[in-house]
Amino acid sequence: MLVANEMRLRIGARGGVFSAVKLGTDRYPALTGVRALGAMVVFFDHFPLRANSHITLNVMAFFFGLSGFLIVRIYYEQAALDRGWLAQYFLNRFARIYPVYFLLLTIAVLIHHGFRPWVLLTNYTLTHALFSNVQFIIQPSWSLTVEECFYFLAPLFMVLARVRSFLAAFLFAGLLLLAALLVSRLRLGFLGTTPFVLSTTFFGHFLEFFAGVYLALAVIRVERKGSIDLPGTKWTAAGVAGVGLLAIAMMLVYRRASLDLSAVILINNFLIPLPIGLLYWGLIREQTLLSRLLSTKTLRLLGRGSYSFYLLHTLIIDCVSVPLLASTGGYRPLYVVLTFLITWVISILLFFVYEEPINVILRERFRSKVFRIAET
């Protein structure tokens, strides 16, 4: 959910930060817009205009599928299990993900304080969502553990897919799910319970990532042949229709007197990845009204700041907006809209003055060290 602009990030120290963030450099601009739209949906789920009116659509599946696509599309053809390539790959992932998380996590710790050492250790190491009994200091950060598990395993998946087949990588991921489910039966806290594995870990969400992986391999094959543009709108329409039908099904599930967790997991983890893959295929290849909307400069700019927005929004909601709303008895929609706008402004500023500069500095500073490691 977080690597869209890496495809063009090949700058030196003299190039400056802003040369890496020009809005015209996205290879798949509509997908950058998807990130912005997804972050907005998450915001209004956590802070709805009307109290207790939450969105039931599994937005994280869109992010996970996007991560699977972008990681494989960027790294697939060069992926290797040697020390030099892996060092550079993990440096890129660390530089993109961790600095913003570290900053906002530290702010949250200073605001709330009093966390136990184990909670701090697991949150700072991004292992917290592997344990069912650990508190998430930044609530949405559980998904970063899911992402990091995929990043860790992605080189192996890519090499397996290239040397063997996509099916080999897919079956290996399926075996990892079975292993995680077996561990969860031991009741050790690590990987928690079966519902925890299926709802909160990479192993339960692997199909969402692999929808993106399969899509990336298909796009690579098409791009090798030349232009990828397709006439018409059938793939985009099929994706939208499929997502819409499953969203309706999820609403019906949540309206029942007792929540059917198995139905939720079936829809979220195993059914929705297919229409999301169809939708992304359409957004990449078809020139539709939706793809043009998602490719606008505004949404692409917001897409760049969506990672900071995703981590920041609950801090502002929980520490500022909700207490103010409760103490003043104000008009809730006004507080929601103001919080939404202010959070976006801060997130965009954070992207330009911290997230992207730190990303570039870390890559440039440690790239030579990585090369030295590869030579030893």
Side-chain angles (χ1 to χ4, degrees), residues 86-317:
L86 289 173
Q88 183 64 59
Y89 167 79
F90 287 118
L91 168 64
N92 291 348
R93 296 291 83 239
F94 177 86
R96 173 55 62 196
I97 299 298
Y98 199 74
V100 172
Y101 175 70
F102 178 85
L103 173 65
L104 296 180
L105 177 62
T106 301
I107 291 173
V109 169
L110 293 175
I111 290 173
H112 297 293
H113 56 78
F115 294 109
R116 292 172 297 172
W118 177 244
V119 173
L120 292 174
L121 175 64
T122 53
N123 276 264
Y124 271 104
T125 57
L126 278 173
T127 57
H128 52 323
L130 292 174
F131 300 89
S132 59
N133 55 357
V134 172
Q135 180 181 355
F136 303 158
I137 297 175
I138 298 178
Q139 186 60 34
S141 67
W142 70 270
S143 67
L144 298 189
T145 303
V146 178
E147 296 266 3
E148 292 301 312
C149 288
F150 172 71
Y151 296 157
F152 180 79
L153 292 165
L156 183 55
F157 292 148
M158 288 186 283
V159 171
L160 264 177
R162 196 173 65 228
V163 175
R164 296 293 182 181
S165 64
F166 168 81
L167 182 59
F170 182 86
L171 291 176
F172 177 65
L175 288 175
L176 291 177
L177 171 60
L178 292 177
L181 291 173
L182 289 174
V183 172
S184 72
R185 301 296 295 271
L186 301 177
R187 306 291 182 178
L188 300 175
F190 178 68
L191 298 182
T193 62
T194 294
F196 179 83
V197 168
L198 292 172
S199 63
T200 313
T201 71
F202 162 75
F203 310 104
H205 290 280
F206 88 92
L207 194 61
E208 295 152 66
F209 286 93
F210 266 78
V213 172
Y214 185 84
L215 177 65
L217 297 177
V219 168
I220 290 171
R221 287 194 297 268
V222 172
E223 287 181 332
R224 286 172 178 170
K225 299 177 182 178
S227 175
I228 66 171
D229 293 340
L230 276 178
T233 63
K234 65 177 182 180
W235 295 106
T236 304
V240 170
V243 169
L245 288 173
L246 290 177
I248 293 171
M250 185 62 73
M251 290 174 59
L252 295 176
V253 170
Y254 273 94
R255 284 184 178 180
R256 293 180 180 178
S258 59
L259 183 63
D260 186 348
L261 185 59
S262 61
V264 172
I265 291 173
L266 175 65
I267 295 171
N268 283 344
N269 297 41
F270 299 99
L271 296 183
I272 205 168
L274 176 58
I276 289 175
L278 294 176
L279 174 61
Y280 287 170
W281 182 255
L283 291 176
I284 291 169
R285 303 196 65 187
E286 296 173 340
Q287 296 298 315
T288 62
L289 177 61
L290 180 59
S291 68
R292 289 193 293 271
L293 173 65
L294 292 171
S295 300
T296 58
K297 289 185 177 180
T298 299
L299 279 179
R300 286 154 66 190
L301 175 62
L302 296 179
R304 297 300 179 89
S306 60
Y307 176 49
S308 294
F309 182 91
Y310 178 73
L311 290 179
L312 178 64
H313 76 280
T314 54
L315 289 179
I316 295 178
I317 291 170

Side-chain angles (χ1 to χ4, degrees), residues 7-28:
M7 208 164 293
R8 294 289 185 177
L9 190 55
R10 296 290 184 270
I11 64 173
R14 297 181 181 178
V17 172
F18 294 102
S19 64
V21 294
K22 292 179 181 178
L23 294 181
T25 60
D26 297 315
R27 188 162 188 174
Y28 310 108

Side-chain angles (χ1 to χ4, degrees), residues 51-69:
N52 300 317
S53 179
H54 297 283
I55 299 169
T56 58
L57 181 65
N58 177 19
V59 181
M60 297 316 302
F62 289 83
F63 287 130
F64 294 155
L66 188 56
S67 290
F69 170 77

